[in-house]
Amino acid sequence: MTPALVFFAVATPFCLWAAWTDLRHMKILNVCNGGLFAAFVLVGALALPLDVYGVRLAQAALMLVVGIGLNSTGHMGGGDSKFIAAMAPYVALQDAGVFLMILAAMSLFTVALHRGVGLITPLQPALTGWKSWNAGGKFPFGVTLAASLLAYLTLAV
C-alpha cells in the first residue's frame, strides 16, 4: 500500500466528521482535530522516511502558528485553524501549489453547493436545526477543508 492510500484511509473518517459537525453545529471539535493529527503521527512514522516525516510535522506546526494568528485577528474560526494544522502533514510539501489550487476550486464549489442546498424549499424543514444554514453570512469552511484534503489524497492515490 502506498502512503497516499494509507493517509486517505486514515483521514477520511476525520474529514467526514469535521464536515458534518461544521455543517450541523458550525464547530470542528478538538477531538476530531486531535484524532486526525494523532493518526498522522502514528501512521506517518511508519509510512514515510524520517526526514519527510519531520518536514510534514513542521508543516503542521507552522500552520498552527499561522492559524492562531488568523484566529486571533478574527479572520478564521478556531476549529478551522486547528483543522488546517491537523491536515497539513497529509499534504506533501512539493504538492502545496496543487493543494492550494484544489482548495480554491473546492471553496467555490462548496460555497455554491451549500448556498444552493439551503435554497431548496423541500429541504428547508430538514435543515432547521443545522446552524450552518441559519448562520447569516458565515460559512462552515471545515466542509471545504475536508473536501479539499480528500480530493488531494484521492488524486495522490
Short mmCIF file of all heavy atoms in Angstrom, two decimals, residues 6-71:
data_model
loop_
_atom_site.label_atom_id
_atom_site.label_comp_id
_atom_site.label_asym_id
_atom_site.label_seq_id
_atom_site.Cartn_x
_atom_site.Cartn_y
_atom_site.Cartn_z
N VAL A 6 -2.85 4.90 2.38
CA VAL A 6 -2.95 4.78 3.84
C VAL A 6 -3.47 6.08 4.44
O VAL A 6 -4.38 6.07 5.28
CB VAL A 6 -1.59 4.38 4.45
CG1 VAL A 6 -1.63 4.44 5.97
CG2 VAL A 6 -1.17 3.00 3.97
N PHE A 7 -2.91 7.21 3.99
CA PHE A 7 -3.36 8.51 4.51
C PHE A 7 -4.82 8.77 4.16
O PHE A 7 -5.57 9.30 4.98
CB PHE A 7 -2.49 9.64 3.99
CG PHE A 7 -1.09 9.64 4.52
CD1 PHE A 7 -0.06 10.16 3.78
CD2 PHE A 7 -0.79 9.12 5.78
CE1 PHE A 7 1.24 10.18 4.27
CE2 PHE A 7 0.50 9.12 6.28
CZ PHE A 7 1.52 9.65 5.52
N PHE A 8 -5.24 8.37 2.96
CA PHE A 8 -6.64 8.54 2.57
C PHE A 8 -7.54 7.74 3.50
O PHE A 8 -8.55 8.25 3.99
CB PHE A 8 -6.85 8.10 1.11
CG PHE A 8 -8.28 8.18 0.67
CD1 PHE A 8 -8.82 9.40 0.27
CD2 PHE A 8 -9.10 7.07 0.67
CE1 PHE A 8 -10.14 9.49 -0.13
CE2 PHE A 8 -10.43 7.15 0.28
CZ PHE A 8 -10.95 8.37 -0.12
N ALA A 9 -7.17 6.49 3.75
CA ALA A 9 -7.98 5.63 4.62
C ALA A 9 -8.05 6.17 6.05
O ALA A 9 -9.12 6.12 6.69
CB ALA A 9 -7.41 4.21 4.63
N VAL A 10 -6.97 6.72 6.53
CA VAL A 10 -6.91 7.23 7.90
C VAL A 10 -7.65 8.57 8.01
O VAL A 10 -8.35 8.82 9.00
CB VAL A 10 -5.43 7.37 8.34
CG1 VAL A 10 -5.30 8.18 9.59
CG2 VAL A 10 -4.81 6.00 8.53
N ALA A 11 -7.51 9.43 7.01
CA ALA A 11 -8.07 10.78 7.09
C ALA A 11 -9.56 10.85 6.81
O ALA A 11 -10.24 11.74 7.32
CB ALA A 11 -7.32 11.70 6.13
N THR A 12 -10.07 9.93 6.01
CA THR A 12 -11.47 10.01 5.58
C THR A 12 -12.47 10.11 6.73
O THR A 12 -13.32 11.02 6.71
CB THR A 12 -11.82 8.84 4.64
OG1 THR A 12 -11.02 8.95 3.47
CG2 THR A 12 -13.29 8.85 4.26
N PRO A 13 -12.42 9.26 7.75
CA PRO A 13 -13.43 9.40 8.80
C PRO A 13 -13.35 10.74 9.54
O PRO A 13 -14.38 11.33 9.89
CB PRO A 13 -13.14 8.25 9.76
CG PRO A 13 -12.05 7.45 9.17
CD PRO A 13 -11.56 8.11 7.95
N PHE A 14 -12.15 11.25 9.72
CA PHE A 14 -11.99 12.54 10.41
C PHE A 14 -12.50 13.69 9.54
O PHE A 14 -13.11 14.63 10.05
CB PHE A 14 -10.52 12.76 10.81
CG PHE A 14 -10.06 11.79 11.86
CD1 PHE A 14 -9.23 10.74 11.52
CD2 PHE A 14 -10.46 11.92 13.18
CE1 PHE A 14 -8.80 9.84 12.48
CE2 PHE A 14 -10.04 11.02 14.15
CZ PHE A 14 -9.22 9.98 13.81
N CYS A 15 -12.26 13.61 8.23
CA CYS A 15 -12.75 14.64 7.32
C CYS A 15 -14.28 14.65 7.28
O CYS A 15 -14.91 15.71 7.32
CB CYS A 15 -12.18 14.44 5.92
SG CYS A 15 -10.43 14.85 5.79
N LEU A 16 -14.88 13.47 7.22
CA LEU A 16 -16.34 13.39 7.22
C LEU A 16 -16.92 13.91 8.53
O LEU A 16 -17.94 14.62 8.53
CB LEU A 16 -16.79 11.95 6.96
CG LEU A 16 -16.43 11.39 5.57
CD1 LEU A 16 -16.82 9.92 5.48
CD2 LEU A 16 -17.08 12.21 4.47
N TRP A 17 -16.27 13.58 9.63
CA TRP A 17 -16.71 14.05 10.95
C TRP A 17 -16.61 15.57 11.03
O TRP A 17 -17.53 16.25 11.49
CB TRP A 17 -15.86 13.38 12.01
CG TRP A 17 -16.25 13.63 13.43
CD1 TRP A 17 -17.39 14.20 13.92
CD2 TRP A 17 -15.47 13.30 14.58
NE1 TRP A 17 -17.37 14.24 15.29
CE2 TRP A 17 -16.19 13.69 15.71
CE3 TRP A 17 -14.22 12.70 14.74
CZ2 TRP A 17 -15.71 13.51 17.01
CZ3 TRP A 17 -13.75 12.53 16.04
CH2 TRP A 17 -14.48 12.92 17.15
N ALA A 18 -15.50 16.13 10.58
CA ALA A 18 -15.31 17.58 10.62
C ALA A 18 -16.35 18.29 9.76
O ALA A 18 -16.93 19.30 10.18
CB ALA A 18 -13.90 17.94 10.16
N ALA A 19 -16.59 17.79 8.56
CA ALA A 19 -17.57 18.41 7.68
C ALA A 19 -18.97 18.34 8.29
O ALA A 19 -19.71 19.34 8.29
CB ALA A 19 -17.55 17.71 6.32
N TRP A 20 -19.31 17.19 8.84
CA TRP A 20 -20.64 17.00 9.45
C TRP A 20 -20.86 17.96 10.62
O TRP A 20 -21.87 18.65 10.68
CB TRP A 20 -20.77 15.56 9.91
CG TRP A 20 -22.05 15.26 10.64
CD1 TRP A 20 -22.26 15.32 12.00
CD2 TRP A 20 -23.29 14.88 10.09
NE1 TRP A 20 -23.55 14.99 12.30
CE2 TRP A 20 -24.22 14.72 11.13
CE3 TRP A 20 -23.71 14.66 8.78
CZ2 TRP A 20 -25.53 14.36 10.92
CZ3 TRP A 20 -25.04 14.28 8.59
CH2 TRP A 20 -25.92 14.13 9.64
N THR A 21 -19.91 18.00 11.54
CA THR A 21 -20.10 18.85 12.72
C THR A 21 -20.04 20.33 12.36
O THR A 21 -20.73 21.13 12.99
CB THR A 21 -19.07 18.54 13.84
OG1 THR A 21 -17.75 18.71 13.34
CG2 THR A 21 -19.26 17.13 14.37
N ASP A 22 -19.26 20.69 11.34
CA ASP A 22 -19.22 22.09 10.94
C ASP A 22 -20.53 22.49 10.28
O ASP A 22 -21.03 23.59 10.52
CB ASP A 22 -18.03 22.34 10.01
CG ASP A 22 -17.48 23.75 10.13
OD1 ASP A 22 -17.78 24.44 11.13
OD2 ASP A 22 -16.73 24.17 9.25
N LEU A 23 -21.11 21.61 9.48
CA LEU A 23 -22.41 21.91 8.89
C LEU A 23 -23.50 21.98 9.96
O LEU A 23 -24.33 22.88 9.95
CB LEU A 23 -22.79 20.84 7.86
CG LEU A 23 -22.15 20.93 6.50
CD1 LEU A 23 -22.41 19.65 5.71
CD2 LEU A 23 -22.66 22.15 5.74
N ARG A 24 -23.48 21.04 10.86
CA ARG A 24 -24.56 20.94 11.86
C ARG A 24 -24.43 21.95 12.98
O ARG A 24 -25.43 22.53 13.41
CB ARG A 24 -24.56 19.53 12.43
CG ARG A 24 -25.71 19.27 13.36
CD ARG A 24 -26.45 18.04 12.93
NE ARG A 24 -27.48 17.71 13.88
CZ ARG A 24 -28.77 17.82 13.60
NH1 ARG A 24 -29.15 18.24 12.43
NH2 ARG A 24 -29.67 17.49 14.49
N HIS A 25 -23.20 22.17 13.47
CA HIS A 25 -23.01 22.99 14.67
C HIS A 25 -22.11 24.20 14.46
O HIS A 25 -21.89 24.95 15.41
CB HIS A 25 -22.42 22.13 15.80
CG HIS A 25 -23.21 20.91 16.10
ND1 HIS A 25 -24.45 20.96 16.71
CD2 HIS A 25 -22.97 19.60 15.86
CE1 HIS A 25 -24.92 19.73 16.84
NE2 HIS A 25 -24.05 18.89 16.32
N MET A 26 -21.54 24.36 13.26
CA MET A 26 -20.58 25.43 12.97
C MET A 26 -19.37 25.34 13.90
O MET A 26 -18.82 26.33 14.35
CB MET A 26 -21.23 26.82 13.08
CG MET A 26 -22.25 27.13 12.00
SD MET A 26 -21.58 27.27 10.34
CE MET A 26 -20.70 28.80 10.43
N LYS A 27 -18.96 24.08 14.17
CA LYS A 27 -17.79 23.82 15.01
C LYS A 27 -17.08 22.57 14.50
O LYS A 27 -17.73 21.64 14.04
CB LYS A 27 -18.20 23.54 16.46
CG LYS A 27 -18.70 24.72 17.21
CD LYS A 27 -19.02 24.34 18.65
CE LYS A 27 -19.63 25.55 19.31
NZ LYS A 27 -19.34 25.66 20.69
N ILE A 28 -15.77 22.60 14.61
CA ILE A 28 -14.99 21.39 14.39
C ILE A 28 -14.40 21.05 15.75
O ILE A 28 -13.67 21.86 16.35
CB ILE A 28 -13.88 21.59 13.35
CG1 ILE A 28 -14.47 22.05 12.02
CG2 ILE A 28 -13.08 20.30 13.17
CD1 ILE A 28 -13.44 22.41 10.98
N LEU A 29 -14.73 19.90 16.26
CA LEU A 29 -14.35 19.53 17.61
C LEU A 29 -12.85 19.28 17.75
O LEU A 29 -12.21 18.75 16.84
CB LEU A 29 -15.12 18.28 18.04
CG LEU A 29 -16.65 18.38 17.96
CD1 LEU A 29 -17.28 17.04 18.25
CD2 LEU A 29 -17.16 19.45 18.91
N ASN A 30 -12.31 19.67 18.89
CA ASN A 30 -10.89 19.45 19.16
C ASN A 30 -10.52 17.97 19.09
O ASN A 30 -9.43 17.63 18.65
CB ASN A 30 -10.51 20.00 20.54
CG ASN A 30 -10.45 21.51 20.54
OD1 ASN A 30 -10.31 22.15 19.51
ND2 ASN A 30 -10.57 22.10 21.72
N VAL A 31 -11.42 17.10 19.52
CA VAL A 31 -11.13 15.67 19.49
C VAL A 31 -10.99 15.18 18.04
O VAL A 31 -10.18 14.29 17.76
CB VAL A 31 -12.18 14.87 20.29
CG1 VAL A 31 -13.55 14.91 19.64
CG2 VAL A 31 -11.73 13.45 20.52
N CYS A 32 -11.72 15.78 17.12
CA CYS A 32 -11.59 15.44 15.71
C CYS A 32 -10.24 15.90 15.18
O CYS A 32 -9.51 15.14 14.53
CB CYS A 32 -12.73 16.07 14.91
SG CYS A 32 -12.65 15.76 13.14
N ASN A 33 -9.90 17.15 15.47
CA ASN A 33 -8.60 17.68 15.04
C ASN A 33 -7.45 16.89 15.65
O ASN A 33 -6.49 16.54 14.95
CB ASN A 33 -8.48 19.15 15.45
CG ASN A 33 -9.47 20.03 14.72
OD1 ASN A 33 -9.83 19.77 13.58
ND2 ASN A 33 -9.92 21.07 15.39
N GLY A 34 -7.56 16.61 16.92
CA GLY A 34 -6.51 15.84 17.59
C GLY A 34 -6.40 14.43 17.04
O GLY A 34 -5.30 13.89 16.88
N GLY A 35 -7.53 13.82 16.73
CA GLY A 35 -7.53 12.48 16.16
C GLY A 35 -6.89 12.44 14.79
O GLY A 35 -6.11 11.53 14.47
N LEU A 36 -7.20 13.43 13.96
CA LEU A 36 -6.61 13.50 12.62
C LEU A 36 -5.09 13.65 12.72
O LEU A 36 -4.35 12.96 12.02
CB LEU A 36 -7.21 14.66 11.83
CG LEU A 36 -6.68 14.87 10.41
CD1 LEU A 36 -6.99 13.66 9.52
CD2 LEU A 36 -7.30 16.13 9.80
N PHE A 37 -4.64 14.51 13.62
CA PHE A 37 -3.21 14.71 13.78
C PHE A 37 -2.54 13.47 14.39
O PHE A 37 -1.49 13.03 13.92
CB PHE A 37 -2.92 15.95 14.64
CG PHE A 37 -1.45 16.22 14.77
CD1 PHE A 37 -0.72 16.67 13.69
CD2 PHE A 37 -0.81 16.01 15.98
CE1 PHE A 37 0.65 16.91 13.80
CE2 PHE A 37 0.55 16.24 16.11
CZ PHE A 37 1.29 16.70 15.02
N ALA A 38 -3.14 12.90 15.42
CA ALA A 38 -2.57 11.70 16.05
C ALA A 38 -2.48 10.54 15.06
O ALA A 38 -1.50 9.79 15.07
CB ALA A 38 -3.41 11.30 17.27
N ALA A 39 -3.48 10.42 14.20
CA ALA A 39 -3.45 9.36 13.18
C ALA A 39 -2.25 9.57 12.25
O ALA A 39 -1.56 8.60 11.90
CB ALA A 39 -4.75 9.36 12.38
N PHE A 40 -1.97 10.83 11.89
CA PHE A 40 -0.80 11.06 11.05
C PHE A 40 0.48 10.73 11.81
O PHE A 40 1.40 10.13 11.25
CB PHE A 40 -0.71 12.50 10.53
CG PHE A 40 0.55 12.71 9.75
CD1 PHE A 40 0.62 12.33 8.42
CD2 PHE A 40 1.70 13.20 10.35
CE1 PHE A 40 1.80 12.45 7.71
CE2 PHE A 40 2.88 13.33 9.65
CZ PHE A 40 2.93 12.95 8.32
N VAL A 41 0.56 11.14 13.06
CA VAL A 41 1.77 10.89 13.85
C VAL A 41 2.08 9.39 13.88
O VAL A 41 3.22 8.98 13.68
CB VAL A 41 1.63 11.46 15.28
CG1 VAL A 41 2.75 10.98 16.19
CG2 VAL A 41 1.61 12.99 15.24
N LEU A 42 1.06 8.58 14.08
CA LEU A 42 1.26 7.13 14.15
C LEU A 42 1.54 6.51 12.78
O LEU A 42 2.52 5.79 12.60
CB LEU A 42 0.05 6.47 14.79
CG LEU A 42 -0.23 6.82 16.24
CD1 LEU A 42 -1.56 6.25 16.68
CD2 LEU A 42 0.90 6.35 17.13
N VAL A 43 0.69 6.81 11.83
CA VAL A 43 0.80 6.18 10.51
C VAL A 43 1.96 6.78 9.72
O VAL A 43 2.68 6.06 9.03
CB VAL A 43 -0.54 6.31 9.75
CG1 VAL A 43 -0.41 5.80 8.33
CG2 VAL A 43 -1.64 5.56 10.48
N GLY A 44 2.15 8.09 9.83
CA GLY A 44 3.23 8.74 9.10
C GLY A 44 4.59 8.23 9.50
O GLY A 44 5.49 8.12 8.66
N ALA A 45 4.75 7.91 10.78
CA ALA A 45 6.03 7.38 11.25
C ALA A 45 6.36 6.05 10.59
O ALA A 45 7.54 5.72 10.41
CB ALA A 45 5.99 7.23 12.77
N LEU A 46 5.35 5.30 10.23
CA LEU A 46 5.56 4.01 9.59
C LEU A 46 5.62 4.10 8.06
O LEU A 46 6.27 3.30 7.41
CB LEU A 46 4.44 3.05 9.98
CG LEU A 46 4.30 2.76 11.48
CD1 LEU A 46 3.02 1.97 11.74
CD2 LEU A 46 5.52 2.05 12.02
N ALA A 47 4.93 5.10 7.50
CA ALA A 47 4.77 5.16 6.05
C ALA A 47 5.79 6.05 5.33
O ALA A 47 5.95 5.93 4.13
CB ALA A 47 3.36 5.65 5.72
N LEU A 48 6.44 6.94 6.07
CA LEU A 48 7.31 7.92 5.43
C LEU A 48 8.75 7.79 5.93
O LEU A 48 8.97 7.40 7.08
CB LEU A 48 6.82 9.34 5.74
CG LEU A 48 5.44 9.72 5.22
CD1 LEU A 48 5.02 11.08 5.76
CD2 LEU A 48 5.41 9.74 3.69
N PRO A 49 9.71 8.18 5.10
CA PRO A 49 11.09 8.27 5.60
C PRO A 49 11.17 9.34 6.70
O PRO A 49 10.38 10.29 6.72
CB PRO A 49 11.89 8.73 4.37
CG PRO A 49 11.01 8.46 3.19
CD PRO A 49 9.60 8.49 3.68
N LEU A 50 12.12 9.18 7.59
CA LEU A 50 12.22 10.05 8.76
C LEU A 50 12.34 11.53 8.39
O LEU A 50 11.71 12.39 9.02
CB LEU A 50 13.40 9.62 9.65
CG LEU A 50 13.51 10.30 11.00
CD1 LEU A 50 12.24 10.10 11.81
CD2 LEU A 50 14.72 9.77 11.76
N ASP A 51 13.13 11.87 7.37
CA ASP A 51 13.31 13.27 7.00
C ASP A 51 12.01 13.87 6.47
O ASP A 51 11.65 15.00 6.80
CB ASP A 51 14.45 13.45 6.01
CG ASP A 51 14.26 12.67 4.71
OD1 ASP A 51 13.58 11.61 4.74
OD2 ASP A 51 14.78 13.11 3.67
N VAL A 52 11.28 13.13 5.67
CA VAL A 52 9.99 13.59 5.13
C VAL A 52 8.97 13.72 6.27
O VAL A 52 8.22 14.70 6.33
CB VAL A 52 9.47 12.62 4.04
CG1 VAL A 52 8.08 13.00 3.58
CG2 VAL A 52 10.45 12.58 2.88
N TYR A 53 8.98 12.76 7.16
CA TYR A 53 8.09 12.79 8.33
C TYR A 53 8.33 14.05 9.16
O TYR A 53 7.38 14.73 9.56
CB TYR A 53 8.33 11.52 9.15
CG TYR A 53 7.50 11.38 10.39
CD1 TYR A 53 6.13 11.19 10.34
CD2 TYR A 53 8.11 11.41 11.65
CE1 TYR A 53 5.37 11.03 11.49
CE2 TYR A 53 7.37 11.25 12.81
CZ TYR A 53 6.00 11.07 12.72
OH TYR A 53 5.26 10.91 13.86
N GLY A 54 9.59 14.39 9.37
CA GLY A 54 9.92 15.58 10.13
C GLY A 54 9.45 16.86 9.46
O GLY A 54 8.92 17.77 10.12
N VAL A 55 9.60 16.94 8.14
CA VAL A 55 9.13 18.11 7.40
C VAL A 55 7.62 18.23 7.51
O VAL A 55 7.08 19.32 7.71
CB VAL A 55 9.57 18.04 5.92
CG1 VAL A 55 8.85 19.08 5.07
CG2 VAL A 55 11.07 18.20 5.80
N ARG A 56 6.94 17.12 7.42
CA ARG A 56 5.47 17.14 7.50
C ARG A 56 4.99 17.59 8.89
O ARG A 56 4.00 18.33 8.99
CB ARG A 56 4.89 15.76 7.16
CG ARG A 56 5.26 15.25 5.78
CD ARG A 56 4.16 15.51 4.78
NE ARG A 56 4.44 14.86 3.51
CZ ARG A 56 3.66 13.92 2.97
NH1 ARG A 56 2.59 13.50 3.57
NH2 ARG A 56 3.98 13.42 1.80
N LEU A 57 5.69 17.16 9.93
CA LEU A 57 5.33 17.63 11.27
C LEU A 57 5.61 19.12 11.42
O LEU A 57 4.84 19.85 12.07
CB LEU A 57 6.09 16.83 12.34
CG LEU A 57 5.68 15.36 12.47
CD1 LEU A 57 6.55 14.66 13.52
CD2 LEU A 57 4.20 15.22 12.83
N ALA A 58 6.70 19.60 10.80
CA ALA A 58 7.00 21.03 10.83
C ALA A 58 5.91 21.82 10.10
O ALA A 58 5.56 22.94 10.52
CB ALA A 58 8.37 21.28 10.20
N GLN A 59 5.38 21.27 9.01
CA GLN A 59 4.27 21.92 8.30
C GLN A 59 3.09 22.12 9.24
O GLN A 59 2.45 23.17 9.23
CB GLN A 59 3.81 21.06 7.11
CG GLN A 59 4.76 20.98 5.97
CD GLN A 59 4.34 19.96 4.92
OE1 GLN A 59 5.19 19.57 4.15
NE2 GLN A 59 3.10 19.49 4.87
N ALA A 60 2.79 21.11 10.03
CA ALA A 60 1.66 21.20 10.97
C ALA A 60 1.92 22.31 11.99
O ALA A 60 1.01 23.11 12.28
CB ALA A 60 1.45 19.87 11.67
N ALA A 61 3.13 22.37 12.51
CA ALA A 61 3.46 23.40 13.50
C ALA A 61 3.34 24.80 12.89
O ALA A 61 2.76 25.71 13.51
CB ALA A 61 4.87 23.17 14.04
N LEU A 62 3.85 24.96 11.68
CA LEU A 62 3.75 26.26 11.00
C LEU A 62 2.30 26.66 10.77
O LEU A 62 1.91 27.81 11.02
CB LEU A 62 4.51 26.21 9.67
CG LEU A 62 4.42 27.48 8.81
CD1 LEU A 62 5.04 28.67 9.53
CD2 LEU A 62 5.08 27.25 7.46
N MET A 63 1.50 25.73 10.30
CA MET A 63 0.09 26.03 10.04
C MET A 63 -0.67 26.34 11.33
O MET A 63 -1.59 27.17 11.33
CB MET A 63 -0.59 24.89 9.29
CG MET A 63 -0.13 24.74 7.85
SD MET A 63 -0.53 26.16 6.82
CE MET A 63 0.99 27.07 6.82
N LEU A 64 -0.27 25.71 12.43
CA LEU A 64 -0.91 26.02 13.71
C LEU A 64 -0.60 27.46 14.12
O LEU A 64 -1.50 28.20 14.54
CB LEU A 64 -0.46 25.05 14.80
CG LEU A 64 -1.13 25.22 16.16
CD1 LEU A 64 -2.65 25.06 16.05
CD2 LEU A 64 -0.56 24.23 17.16
N VAL A 65 0.64 27.88 13.96
CA VAL A 65 1.02 29.26 14.31
C VAL A 65 0.27 30.26 13.42
O VAL A 65 -0.28 31.25 13.90
CB VAL A 65 2.55 29.44 14.20
CG1 VAL A 65 2.94 30.91 14.30
CG2 VAL A 65 3.26 28.63 15.27
N VAL A 66 0.25 29.99 12.12
CA VAL A 66 -0.47 30.87 11.19
C VAL A 66 -1.96 30.90 11.54
O VAL A 66 -2.59 31.96 11.57
CB VAL A 66 -0.25 30.42 9.72
CG1 VAL A 66 -1.18 31.16 8.77
CG2 VAL A 66 1.20 30.62 9.32
N GLY A 67 -2.53 29.73 11.82
CA GLY A 67 -3.95 29.65 12.16
C GLY A 67 -4.29 30.38 13.44
O GLY A 67 -5.32 31.06 13.52
N ILE A 68 -3.43 30.29 14.44
CA ILE A 68 -3.66 31.02 15.69
C ILE A 68 -3.65 32.51 15.41
O ILE A 68 -4.49 33.27 15.94
CB ILE A 68 -2.62 30.63 16.76
CG1 ILE A 68 -2.89 29.20 17.26
CG2 ILE A 68 -2.62 31.62 17.92
CD1 ILE A 68 -1.79 28.62 18.13
N GLY A 69 -2.72 32.95 14.56
CA GLY A 69 -2.68 34.36 14.19
C GLY A 69 -3.95 34.80 13.48
O GLY A 69 -4.51 35.86 13.79
N LEU A 70 -4.41 34.02 12.53
CA LEU A 70 -5.63 34.36 11.80
C LEU A 70 -6.86 34.33 12.71
O LEU A 70 -7.75 35.16 12.59
CB LEU A 70 -5.83 33.41 10.62
CG LEU A 70 -4.86 33.60 9.46
CD1 LEU A 70 -4.99 32.44 8.47
CD2 LEU A 70 -5.07 34.93 8.77
N ASN A 71 -6.88 33.39 13.63
CA ASN A 71 -7.99 33.30 14.57
C ASN A 71 -7.99 34.49 15.53
O ASN A 71 -9.04 35.06 15.83
CB ASN A 71 -7.94 31.98 15.34
CG ASN A 71 -9.04 31.87 16.36
OD1 ASN A 71 -8.80 31.98 17.56
ND2 ASN A 71 -10.27 31.68 15.90
#
